[in-house]
């Protein structure tokens, strides 16, 4: 029937991203990615974790659309700038959320995000965010005048409590953070979730070189921790893993592909 054909047409497929040599090629490649690999109805059995990770797109820009190419900052374009249809993930610091430090003093990705959403002009986070985030891996969604943000505090793997942690321990801890991010994003009406590597950069500590693999394995486990209602709901959104640094894009693409092939 016509209705059946229309439903089938929404289940568009896209190719898994592959490494390409230049930053410009990365952007062209991302622009060529179509709709999510699959869309699930609220009543259909959810995808497997491997299928979910396959549907995630590696995007060669930050959650705000900017890039770092050859060590030089490249501003967001009209194509990469987030809109009201995007949910931006903020790698928040607990001292800022708790009120020990004002949002205006935050730096790096969080500092840019707070300027973008207007939080940098406030003396503190919204009370609902403060109440919801009290420890690493906690997350909370908040709507800043139609700029949708999920704040999440990732673990700092430089801490002494992680001195004896294994890679499996790091994955399990980050899986909790990503699970909370996925769940919180469902409160937003926006249709695209812009993830980033939680606990990336200096916070990765001795896991830095393994972070691409850890990130996607943690995301796979995070999806598995959702109940079926949340799984079906998150499958209605497009999910991006945003990588700002151009030389790291291929590492995350390769880790993404390995997780797709090895996941269950």
């Amino acid at each position: 029937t016509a209705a059946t054909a229309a439903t089938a047409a929404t289940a568009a497929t896209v190719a898994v991203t592959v490494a390409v040599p230049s930053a410009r090629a990365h952007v062209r490649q991302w622009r060529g990615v179509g709709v999510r690999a699959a869309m699930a109805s609220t009543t259909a059995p959810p995808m497997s974790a491997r299928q979910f990770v396959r549907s995630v797109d590696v995007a060669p820009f930050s959650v705000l659309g900017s890039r770092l190419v050859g060590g030089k900052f490249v501003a967001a374009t009209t194509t990469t700038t987030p809109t009201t249809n995007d949910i931006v993930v903020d790698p928040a610091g607990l001292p800022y959320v708790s009120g020990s430090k004002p949002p205006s003093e935050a730096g790096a990705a969080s500092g840019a995000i707070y300027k973008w959403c207007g939080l940098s002009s406030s003396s503190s986070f919204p009370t609902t965010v403060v109440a919801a985030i009290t420890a690493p891996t906690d997350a909370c969604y908040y709507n800043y005048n139609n700029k949708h943000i999920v704040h999440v505090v990732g673990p700092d793997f430089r801490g002494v409590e992680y001195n004896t942690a294994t890679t499996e321990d790091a994955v399990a801890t980050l899986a909790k953070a990503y699970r909370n991010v996925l769940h919180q994003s469902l409160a937003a009406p926006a249709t695209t979730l812009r993830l980033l590597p939680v606990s990336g950069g200096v916070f990765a500590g001795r896991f830095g070189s393994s972070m691409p693999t850890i990130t996607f394995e943690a995301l796979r486990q995070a999806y598995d921790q959702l109940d079926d209602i949340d799984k079906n709901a998150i499958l209605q959104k497009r999910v991006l893993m945003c990588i700002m640094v151009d030389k790291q894009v291929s590492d995350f693409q390769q880790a993404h592909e390995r997780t797709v092939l090895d996941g269950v």
Side-chain angles (χ1 to χ4, degrees):
T1 65
T4 301
T7 300
T10 63
T13 57
V14 296
V16 174
T17 54
V18 295
V20 288
S22 69
R24 179 174 295 178
H26 285 321
V27 173
R28 286 200 305 269
Q29 177 193 39
W30 181 84
R31 287 174 178 169
V33 173
V35 296
R36 284 174 47 79
M39 298 293 285
S41 73
T42 56
T43 57
M47 289 180 178
S48 69
R50 179 170 58 182
Q51 289 172 316
F52 166 69
V53 173
R54 181 185 292 123
S55 75
V56 175
D57 295 323
V58 177
F61 48 77
S62 74
V63 292
L64 293 184
S66 56
R67 298 156 55 213
L68 199 62
V69 180
K72 296 182 178 180
F73 178 81
V74 178
T77 67
T78 54
T79 303
T80 62
T81 298
T83 70
T84 55
N85 286 324
D86 290 293
I87 307 161
V88 169
V89 173
D90 162 42
L94 198 55
Y96 302 98
V97 178
S98 67
S100 297
K101 296 181 179 181
S104 59
E105 292 185 5
S110 290
I113 291 169
Y114 302 161
K115 289 178 181 178
W116 172 71
C117 73
L119 182 58
S120 60
S121 61
S122 300
S123 59
S124 62
F125 277 72
T127 55
T128 53
V129 177
V130 175
I133 298 180
T134 60
T137 75
D138 287 346
C140 184
Y141 163 72
Y142 198 83
N143 183 346
Y144 296 87
N145 295 318
N146 289 323
K147 291 182 176 179
H148 306 286
I149 296 181
V150 174
H151 302 285
V152 60
V153 173
D156 186 346
F157 290 119
R158 299 171 299 176
V160 295
E161 65 270 34
Y162 297 107
N163 282 349
T164 60
T166 64
T167 298
E168 290 74 17
D169 294 331
V171 169
T173 302
L174 283 174
K176 295 178 182 178
Y178 283 115
R179 181 267 170 202
N180 292 335
V181 167
L182 294 178
H183 176 72
Q184 286 292 314
S185 74
L186 300 179
T191 57
T192 297
L193 174 60
R194 293 189 174 207
L195 296 171
L196 45 63
V198 177
S199 298
V202 296
F203 298 103
R206 59 192 175 85
F207 297 112
S209 62
S210 303
M211 193 51 65
T213 299
I214 288 173
T215 294
F216 284 108
E217 178 57 23
L219 190 58
R220 186 186 71 81
Q221 292 187 17
Y223 176 83
D224 263 343
Q225 292 174 17
L226 298 174
D227 61 28
D228 283 359
I229 293 175
D230 278 6
K231 286 178 180 177
N232 277 315
I234 199 65
L235 293 173
Q236 303 305 313
K237 297 184 185 293
R238 185 182 186 198
V239 181
L240 306 180
M241 179 58 70
C242 297
I243 308 300
M244 181 178 186
V245 182
D246 65 328
K247 64 182 181 181
Q248 295 178 356
V249 172
S250 62
D251 292 338
F252 278 88
Q253 288 177 325
Q254 291 166 19
H256 173 254
E257 186 171 357
R258 286 195 301 270
T259 306
V260 168
L261 296 174
D262 298 340
V264 294

